[in-house]
Amino acid sequence: NAFQLHAQPIVPIQSGDGAPQRVEILLRVPDADGKLIAPVFLPAAERYGHMTMIDRWVVSNVIRRLARLERREYVEYNVNLSARSIT
């Protein structure tokens, strides 16, 4: 249960008007100091068949959090899924 979700704004290469409208939801894990790091274990999770379980955790938590918001900050929320989960 150490997974954490991190919202990273998607910013266009050319400057646009106002704040970013889209965000990518990234999976992160805290290191020993509590700093969020990229999930370097994903290739091993893919190899050993755990990505579907991880993708389900991500999607269910994103939906749960969005449902609790009174007002969404962004227009679009993007989540990456593994090829195995999609197929």
Side-chain angles (χ1 to χ4, degrees):
N1 290 326
F3 293 152
Q4 292 186 22
L5 298 174
H6 173 74
Q8 177 175 295
I10 299 172
V11 181
I13 294 174
Q14 296 178 346
S15 61
D17 297 327
Q21 297 292 307
R22 299 171 28 191
V23 68
E24 180 177 11
I25 305 299
L26 303 172
L27 181 64
R28 295 290 181 253
V29 289
D31 66 9
D33 297 324
K35 179 183 173 188
L36 294 180
I37 59 172
V40 295
F41 59 86
L42 288 181
E46 185 79 48
R47 182 178 314 128
Y48 295 109
H50 297 295
M51 280 309 301
T52 301
M53 179 178 59
I54 293 170
D55 285 345
R56 286 182 180 166
W57 183 93
V58 170
V59 170
S60 66
N61 279 278
V62 167
I63 291 170
R64 190 174 309 131
R65 289 181 186 191
L66 287 174
R68 281 190 252 151
L69 293 177
E70 288 184 28
R71 186 180 75 76
R72 294 193 179 126
E73 184 175 351
Y74 301 98
V75 173
E76 185 178 301
Y77 293 78
N78 295 276
V79 176
N80 294 323
L81 299 174
S82 69
R84 181 166 292 180
S85 291
I86 291 172
T87 58

